[in-house]
Amino acid sequence: MVEKLLDVKDLTTQFKMDKGNLVAINHISFHINNEEVVGLVGESGSGKSVTSLSMLKLLPQNGEIISGEVLLNNEDILKYDKKQIRKIRGKDIAMIFQDPMSALNPVLRVGNQMMEPIMLHLGYSKERAKEHAINMLKEVGIPAAEDVFNRYPHQLSGGMTQRVMIAMGLSSKPKVLIADEPTTALDVTIQAQVLELMLELKKTNKVGILLITHDLGVVAEMCDRVIVMYCGRIVESAEVLELFENPLHPYTRGLIASVPKIGQSEEELHYIRGRVPDLSQLPKGCKFAPRCDYAIDKCLNEEPILRKLGEQREVRCHLVNERGDFIGSCIGRIKKCRKEIYCLQKTIWRN
């Protein structure tokens, strides 16, 4: 039986704003198994980073978790007080933050910031913690690791700071690693090294990884399962091969189609029209309907539920039937024919 390292159930988070309470993530549930990489994808504003911050109770002051559980070792860590949750962060669950420049303390040397969690969680002496920290810097491809160990964050480039954050996240040998855009600002060579290091950690330490990214190429290479989010909701989840071979939700289909291909001309580039709506002005029905080429009246007026189509497959769409067939393509062709007929009639009327 596959062991669940982390189980998120019915998690809902809102932010208190001047214009009212805005629900950033809405009743989402997923799990991370032992030695598994789960990808969390979606456009900016979809709720990916808020999900990770909610799981570790790292929300800003106006953020509030109003429902749900995050089960680690069968205990709901959302019920932990500040002292209890600090023991979990960095040890059992580590996080690589999206913005490394703001994640490090600017007045402390890199080495001091790396040694603190190592000494706290692994019980190492100061000398051993320093040695371990320098070794971790070397493992993420940092040259002159001892020199970087003694520098301040402002003396490092963005890419170097990102690698320091990755080394910190991996240094305490966590059970679950949350990586929020871990390869941002890294060149291709270093990106490959970092991803390879994460895969090694998964195998050797039996770590479960939640990988938050915009890069579908990284998802295809790294992930076992993929969760697609839109407007704080899960719209589709599936095993990685199944998702890429047969995407069901129109949003997933749009994301995959938007990836540039070798030899593709500029005119052939696909994009999803419109943009992610403001949380204070969400549409009535399906949140993606205003941008969807296949939307019908039901999509505009009734929000679909997240339906389970198989053991690892879920989708939130009116245009997917119980057998898991996407019927929107037929609707799209009908709409296109109607438009062509209308244009032809207009031309005839003018003549």
Side-chain angles (χ1 to χ4, degrees):
M1 183 177 177
V2 179
E3 178 189 355
K4 286 185 182 179
L5 290 179
L6 193 74
D7 198 1
V8 178
K9 296 183 177 181
D10 200 38
L11 185 62
T12 302
T13 298
Q14 68 178 13
F15 289 94
K16 297 177 181 177
M17 310 293 285
D18 293 337
K19 45 186 158 184
N21 294 337
L22 302 181
V23 178
I25 53 175
N26 195 330
H27 298 285
I28 66 170
S29 299
F30 64 91
H31 65 275
I32 304 171
N33 292 328
N34 186 24
E35 294 187 59
E36 182 183 42
V37 181
V38 177
L40 193 59
V41 301
E43 293 169 279
S44 296
S46 295
K48 306 184 302 298
S49 294
V50 175
T51 298
S52 62
L53 294 175
S54 299
M55 290 163 63
L56 285 172
K57 298 181 73 173
L58 288 172
L59 294 168
Q61 287 188 343
N62 66 331
E64 179 186 15
I65 298 170
I66 57 176
S67 74
E69 297 177 317
V70 177
L71 301 177
L72 178 71
N73 299 325
N74 294 319
E75 291 187 22
D76 184 9
I77 62 175
L78 295 183
K79 294 180 180 177
Y80 284 7
D81 58 28
K82 290 183 179 180
K83 188 176 180 180
Q84 289 174 309
I85 199 71
R86 282 196 193 106
K87 292 180 180 179
I88 295 294
R89 295 182 193 136
K91 182 183 179 183
D92 294 321
I93 306 179
M95 183 166 178
I96 301 169
F97 291 92
Q98 184 175 7
D99 185 4
M101 302 302 289
S102 62
L104 291 173
N105 190 326
V107 300
L108 293 177
R109 295 182 190 273
V110 167
N112 292 336
Q113 297 186 61
M114 290 191 68
M115 287 168 59
E116 183 180 356
I118 293 171
M119 294 168 66
L120 175 65
H121 297 309
L122 299 182
Y124 286 1
S125 64
K126 191 173 182 179
E127 292 75 19
R128 192 180 176 190
K130 179 179 178 180
E131 182 184 355
H132 182 60
I134 291 173
N135 285 335
M136 289 305 304
L137 291 174
K138 290 178 181 177
E139 285 194 36
V140 295
I142 293 180
E146 290 189 23
D147 180 45
V148 171
F149 181 87
N150 292 308
R151 290 187 189 182
Y152 288 96
H154 71 272
Q155 296 175 308
L156 305 178
S157 66
M160 192 78 76
T161 310
Q162 184 78 321
R163 278 180 274 173
V164 168
M165 288 301 303
I166 293 168
M168 288 180 67
L170 302 177
S171 62
S172 296
K173 302 175 182 177
K175 295 178 182 177
V176 178
L177 178 66
I178 301 172
D180 192 353
E181 299 284 357
T183 55
T184 300
L186 300 183
D187 60 51
V188 177
T189 305
I190 300 301
Q191 175 177 309
Q193 290 178 5
V194 167
L195 295 177
E196 185 63 31
L197 179 63
M198 291 171 65
L199 288 176
E200 284 180 18
L201 181 76
K202 181 189 81 164
K203 294 176 183 176
T204 55
N205 293 8
K206 296 185 178 180
V207 171
I209 300 174
L210 179 65
L211 180 62
I212 301 171
T213 182
H214 291 91
D215 192 334
L216 291 179
V218 172
V219 169
E221 179 71 23
M222 289 279 293
C223 297
D224 301 297
R225 285 188 295 116
V226 189
I227 298 167
V228 184
M229 288 190 69
Y230 188 77
C231 286
R233 294 152 175 79
I234 294 175
V235 296
E236 186 168 2
S237 65
E239 292 182 347
V240 64
L241 290 177
E242 190 176 14
L243 187 90
F244 278 92
E245 289 177 358
N246 183 29
L248 294 178
H249 198 281
Y251 181 59
T252 310
R253 295 164 70 94
L255 289 177
I256 294 174
S258 299
V259 177
K261 299 172 181 62
I262 295 174
Q264 190 175 34
S265 66
E266 188 175 340
E267 291 76 19
E268 294 174 319
L269 288 175
H270 179 84
Y271 66 95
I272 303 174
R273 60 186 173 85
R275 60 182 181 180
V276 178
D278 190 298
L279 289 177
S280 63
Q281 299 176 339
L282 291 176
K284 179 182 177 184
C286 172
K287 308 313 172 195
F288 184 65
R291 307 175 67 189
C292 182
D293 294 328
Y294 311 103
I296 57 178
D297 289 342
K298 186 177 182 180
C299 302
L300 299 171
N301 296 295
E302 182 182 331
E303 184 168 7
I305 61 171
L306 187 65
R307 289 183 290 130
K308 202 169 182 66
L309 300 179
E311 190 175 344
Q312 302 286 357
R313 193 97 205 235
E314 294 177 314
V315 66
R316 186 191 299 271
C317 184
H318 291 307
L319 302 176
V320 178
N321 62 25
E322 297 298 330
R323 295 180 301 176
D325 300 321
F326 180 68
I327 60 175
S329 297
C330 299
I331 294 169
R333 285 195 292 270
I334 292 170
K335 283 185 174 182
K336 185 178 179 181
C337 289
R338 285 176 177 172
K339 187 176 180 181
E340 289 174 350
I341 292 169
Y342 174 73
C343 291
L344 182 62
Q345 287 176 336
K346 215 172 174 185
T347 304
I348 293 171
W349 292 336
R350 283 176 182 171
N351 294 332

